[in-house]
Amino acid sequence: MDTDPSSDAYGFLREVVGLIAVTLPLVVLGGDVIIDRIDDEPGASPIPLGSISIYYYERTGGWFVGSLFALAVFFLSYEYVNRPGRHVDNLVSTIASGFAVAVALLPTASSGSEATGGAAVVATVHLVCAGVLFALLAWFSLYQFTKTGGEVVASTPWRDRLLRLVRTAPEHLSTMTPNKVRRNLVYRVCGWLILLSIAAIGVSNLFDLDQVFFWESVAVVAFGASWLVKGGFAGILADADADADADADADADADAGADADADGAGGDDGEPARNPA
């Protein structure tokens, strides 16, 4: 089967997005420390600062904002194939793009919990937007990336759909390659780590535990790792047969009640069914 060039391009973009995400905490923290030393100001800032977002005000703030805009552009362009049954995927990615821009343009308060007035309002909006963005990223990992062709259709009960957040239905395991089973495990672990981090950030802010940077880093790295695996980075957990990762599971017409998805190292969102034979 010939590989769609656009699929290769999007697989590469997923890898780039994943690399940006997994390196973001290290770059903003390490870069700030290195610049302080170059300027002969070692220890000028706490290590780390209270959150990744607070680096907006530091010398590595440009990287922080640029990374968010890179994610926003990718999410906005995610609808690269107009196919029936993909409206939810495209809608979620478009919404994620908007929230990524909001997180970049509506910064957290430089004075943290001591902020008042307009700064406090903007900081609160920033926190809400970041939480929604993380939740949408968890949705991709837990629900979208774990799909297998034919596993979810319009008639699938919501109970079964929700169960997919923790496991694959036994009757669909035979249609999956061994590496697809492993990839789904990675996706689910990453997705739940993101959700755990959202809760932990809320608790940390509520009780002033000064753990926001750590949990933001966990969420961002989990998101990045999920997308690196999805993009087939370095062949990690990729299927030996390239055709097994091709976008071969065509969606049925949405009006006919289909919501099946196809996946590949560079395909859209689900995973093609494997021929059990």
Side-chain angles (χ1 to χ4, degrees):
M1 177 183 294
D2 294 333
T3 302
D4 184 353
S6 64
S7 294
D8 289 338
Y10 271 75
F12 173 73
L13 284 176
R14 284 192 180 107
E15 294 180 41
V16 172
V17 167
L19 285 172
I20 291 173
V22 298
T23 58
L24 179 60
L26 179 62
V27 170
V28 296
L29 171 60
D32 194 55
V33 171
I34 291 172
I35 293 173
D36 279 348
R37 291 190 177 278
I38 291 175
D39 291 345
D40 292 327
E41 297 179 356
S45 302
I47 303 175
L49 296 178
S51 69
I52 293 177
S53 297
I54 204 69
Y55 283 93
Y56 174 93
Y57 299 100
E58 300 298 315
R59 269 76 65 91
T60 50
W63 184 271
F64 170 73
V65 173
S67 297
L68 286 167
F69 270 95
L71 296 178
V73 169
F74 176 73
F75 290 142
L76 190 61
S77 64
Y78 205 60
E79 186 180 359
Y80 74 103
V81 176
N82 184 18
R83 295 192 337 202
R86 299 304 178 102
H87 57 283
V88 174
D89 316 5
N90 297 329
L91 176 62
V92 172
S93 63
T94 300
I95 294 174
S97 174
F99 277 103
V101 171
V103 172
L105 297 183
L106 301 172
T108 188
S110 59
S111 55
S113 60
E114 298 178 0
T116 59
V121 172
V122 172
T124 300
V125 174
H126 170 89
L127 182 63
V128 172
C129 289
V132 173
L133 177 60
F134 278 137
L136 294 175
L137 298 179
W139 178 85
F140 273 107
S141 295
L142 288 171
Y143 188 82
Q144 195 58 30
F145 288 176
T146 57
K147 281 185 178 178
T148 297
E151 185 179 3
V152 177
V153 295
S155 60
T156 302
W158 277 105
R159 176 181 175 276
D160 293 343
R161 295 184 185 220
L162 292 176
L163 283 175
R164 291 188 57 257
L165 299 178
V166 294
R167 65 166 178 80
T168 298
E171 61 269 24
H172 290 287
L173 287 174
S174 62
T175 68
M176 300 164 60
T177 64
N179 273 344
K180 170 57 176 170
V181 175
R182 298 184 185 101
R183 289 197 297 275
N184 278 4
L185 176 60
V186 172
Y187 298 147
R188 289 187 173 107
V189 169
C190 289
W192 282 109
L193 278 175
I194 295 173
L195 293 179
L196 172 63
S197 297
I198 294 173
I201 290 170
V203 171
S204 183
N205 280 321
L206 183 62
F207 295 101
D208 197 21
L209 299 179
D210 197 25
Q211 297 177 355
V212 174
F213 182 91
F214 172 78
W215 287 110
E216 283 182 341
S217 298
V218 170
V220 170
V221 171
F223 152 61
S226 178
W227 283 67
L228 282 175
V229 172
K230 178 68 176 172
F233 179 73
I236 298 173
L237 297 181
D239 293 310
D241 182 358
D243 287 347
D245 263 344
D247 196 6
D249 185 39
D251 291 335
D253 188 274
D255 293 334
D259 189 28
D261 284 317
D263 168 270
D268 213 57
D269 289 315
E271 190 82 7
R274 180 188 66 178
N275 184 348

